[in-house]
Amino acid sequence: QDELSIPVAKLPENVKLKFKKESGHVFFYDMKYHYALKKFRPFGLEQGISIHREYHDLEGGKVLPKDLKHGETYKVILNFFFADNTDYLVVEEPIAAGLEPINFALKNVRRSLRNKNSTSSSFSWRLTHREFHDKKILLFADHINRGFYEFSYFVNVTNAGNYLVPPAKAMEMYDPEVFGTTGVEEVVAQ
């Protein structure tokens, strides 16, 4: 197994890759292209899936992402619209660096927060798997019917500062042309 890694800065302008195999041998390859955008889009993209992120205080009032307070807890709501039935959905929700998602599967969550989380979002029961990480939340569903859905989670603001949050992305795992993203957001925690 050989691996070749080439920085983009060293690639010529028009790159053409050519693979050649020796006869009688099976040739497998995997190509990955990792890059970071110099400028994020302030708006999301919709290719069959629409996704939008909102922040709310614990009383239910809407809060702008630039008005978060250090030490506070907020409810984040992801609103989805699926233009058609969707199979094998994956959602990647990045978390701002100064925020920490609250995983209710852990026993160390405050009882008062557990009570606020008892109102189930319309999307939760359709999920087949969910993963909470420090930097992101991953959601998986085998099938979602056409329509509007919502998923919510809670975050603690652990560090003050200005943070860029990359776009959240929802897509069909085996048909990635069907997808939707949020725009980039700046989160300010004071």
Side-chain angles (χ1 to χ4, degrees):
Q1 179 178 354
D2 293 328
E3 184 175 313
L4 177 64
S5 184
I6 304 170
V8 173
K10 292 188 177 184
L11 288 174
E13 191 166 317
N14 292 318
V15 177
K16 292 183 182 180
L17 295 174
K18 189 175 185 178
F19 297 102
K20 186 177 178 183
K21 71 173 189 108
E22 297 175 19
S23 63
H25 293 91
V26 178
F27 183 68
F28 296 100
Y29 70 94
D30 183 25
M31 183 178 298
K32 295 180 182 178
Y33 186 59
H34 297 281
Y35 62 95
L37 297 173
K38 290 184 179 181
K39 286 187 175 182
F40 285 109
R41 290 189 236 14
F43 54 88
L45 297 175
E46 297 178 11
Q47 297 294 322
I49 301 173
S50 174
I51 179 173
H52 177 72
R53 183 188 300 123
E54 297 176 353
Y55 297 86
H56 294 263
D57 60 27
L58 295 181
E59 284 73 48
K62 196 168 182 181
V63 179
L64 294 174
K66 295 184 179 189
D67 294 334
L68 302 183
K69 304 283 185 234
H70 177 255
E72 295 292 321
T73 300
Y74 294 92
K75 183 177 187 177
V76 181
I77 299 176
L78 295 176
N79 293 300
F80 296 89
F81 174 70
F82 297 94
D84 204 352
N85 293 343
T86 301
D87 292 317
Y88 302 107
L89 175 75
V90 62
V91 178
E92 182 176 1
E93 165 68 328
I95 307 294
L99 308 181
E100 181 178 298
I102 298 173
N103 185 351
F104 285 92
L106 302 176
K107 302 245 184 232
N108 65 347
V109 177
R110 296 187 319 250
R111 182 169 288 143
S112 61
L113 266 183
R114 284 191 186 279
N115 295 338
K116 291 194 182 291
N117 192 46
S118 64
T119 55
S120 178
S121 54
S122 63
F123 197 44
S124 293
W125 64 274
R126 298 175 185 274
L127 297 174
T128 53
H129 183 70
R130 62 183 90 191
E131 297 177 11
F132 283 74
H133 301 272
D134 289 338
K135 296 179 183 178
K136 63 184 170 185
I137 295 174
L138 297 171
L139 308 172
F140 301 89
D142 290 343
H143 181 79
I144 301 290
N145 290 326
R146 180 183 193 274
F148 292 94
Y149 297 89
E150 151 183 316
F151 176 80
S152 61
Y153 64 94
F154 291 82
V155 292
N156 287 324
V157 181
T158 57
N159 294 306
N162 295 14
Y163 306 100
L164 278 182
V165 184
K169 184 172 186 174
M171 69 176 184
E172 284 194 22
M173 195 178 306
Y174 301 110
D175 192 7
E177 299 84 32
V178 178
F179 73 95
T181 68
T182 63
V184 71
E185 286 183 336
E186 182 180 10
V187 169
V188 178
Q190 302 172 5

